[in-house]
Amino acid sequence: MIVNADTLIILDFETTGLSPDMGDRAIEIGAVKIEDGKITGRFQELMHPGRRVSSFIADYTGITNTMLEDAAPCEEVMHRFADFIQGYNLVAHNASFDKRFLDAELTRIGRGYDGEFSCSLLVARRIFQDAPSHKLGELIKYTNIPSDGGFHRALFDSEMTTKLWLVMLDEMKSRYSLACIPFPLVQTLAKTPKKSVDSFLRRYNQ
């Protein structure tokens, strides 16, 4: 397993609702693979959840029932996605949401993954403490990352999260004179109290 934080997969799900425990399913997966800070692969597929999506979800995501009619079933897409992510750590914005759906969909097909998760939202709360909001769209504006504003499609959100993630790694390297950032460091950082972030990262570099 590669442990550097600039070599991993950043993913995003669009879903029929908020909770797989309540029967909600994935309807789209998007992911970006980065190696040494460079994009080396992408994954994007719609998937049929076995039911119609609500008008609210269709309006929110832009994914309609018509678009899903010819999509492969979740089980088929998730087998391909499981192959894509093997050997890589994983990141998502508000990762607890995406991890729940990833785990639920892979459990259905008897698959798993060998990477670990980190959350770009939690890391952003610690690196950009003065940001007015830590929603993905607001962080993109705060960090001046170019965007055409097409949020809530899985690959686009993954692309934007990737850009944000790399900006945060660069910010950490610059601010704390870090030559490289191991993935376990950002996992710990995501759980560090905000007031202790500065001392934690300065201590790490000693």
Side-chain angles (χ1 to χ4, degrees):
M1 177 66 64
I2 298 171
V3 298
N4 286 343
D6 64 357
T7 297
L8 41 76
I9 289 173
I10 295 176
L11 61 92
D12 182 73
F13 278 100
E14 302 301 336
T15 66
T16 63
L18 296 177
S19 174
D21 293 336
M22 300 296 291
D24 289 312
R25 300 294 303 274
I27 55 175
E28 186 179 38
I29 179 68
V32 176
K33 181 182 293 182
I34 56 173
E35 298 179 272
D36 297 323
K38 305 294 184 185
I39 294 175
T40 59
R42 292 175 173 84
F43 187 104
Q44 184 276 326
E45 285 199 51
L46 293 170
M47 58 186 107
H48 199 293
R51 73 185 69 139
R52 293 180 64 78
V53 300
S54 69
S55 57
F56 172 80
I57 293 298
D59 290 343
Y60 183 75
T61 64
I63 299 171
T64 65
N65 287 295
T66 301
M67 293 167 63
L68 294 172
E69 281 177 2
D70 297 324
C74 294
E75 292 75 10
E76 185 179 319
V77 174
M78 291 308 299
H79 271 297
R80 289 193 284 271
F81 190 64
D83 293 338
F84 182 77
I85 63 177
Q86 294 307 318
Y88 289 87
N89 289 317
L90 307 169
V91 165
H93 204 72
N94 191 20
S96 61
F97 173 87
D98 295 280
K99 185 178 187 301
R100 282 197 303 273
F101 277 93
L102 179 66
D103 291 349
E105 292 294 350
L106 290 181
T107 296
R108 283 175 175 268
I109 59 172
R111 296 289 300 270
Y113 52 94
D114 50 7
E116 296 188 19
F117 255 96
S118 188
C119 178
S120 55
L121 185 151
L122 295 180
V123 173
R125 283 178 177 166
R126 284 143 181 88
I127 298 301
F128 298 128
Q129 295 189 19
D130 294 334
S133 166
H134 292 90
K135 292 181 179 179
L136 181 59
E138 293 302 314
L139 284 166
I140 294 301
K141 293 176 186 175
Y142 180 78
T143 54
N144 297 311
I145 295 171
S147 166
D148 62 9
F151 293 94
H152 303 309
R153 287 300 302 270
L155 183 58
F156 183 85
D157 283 2
S158 296
E159 297 266 10
M160 291 297 102
T161 303
T162 299
K163 292 178 180 180
L164 175 66
W165 184 257
L166 294 174
V167 165
M168 290 194 295
L169 295 184
D170 285 344
E171 180 72 17
M172 292 166 64
K173 288 178 181 178
S174 173
R175 197 185 300 178
Y176 299 101
S177 301
L178 300 173
C180 67
I181 300 174
F183 191 73
L185 174 63
V186 294
Q187 288 181 297
T188 303
L189 176 65
K191 302 172 185 176
T192 300
K194 290 181 183 179
K195 66 180 187 300
S196 303
V197 165
D198 195 65
S199 60
F200 167 71
L201 289 172
R202 292 190 188 283
R203 233 180 12 253
Y204 179 83
N205 198 32
Q206 292 177 352

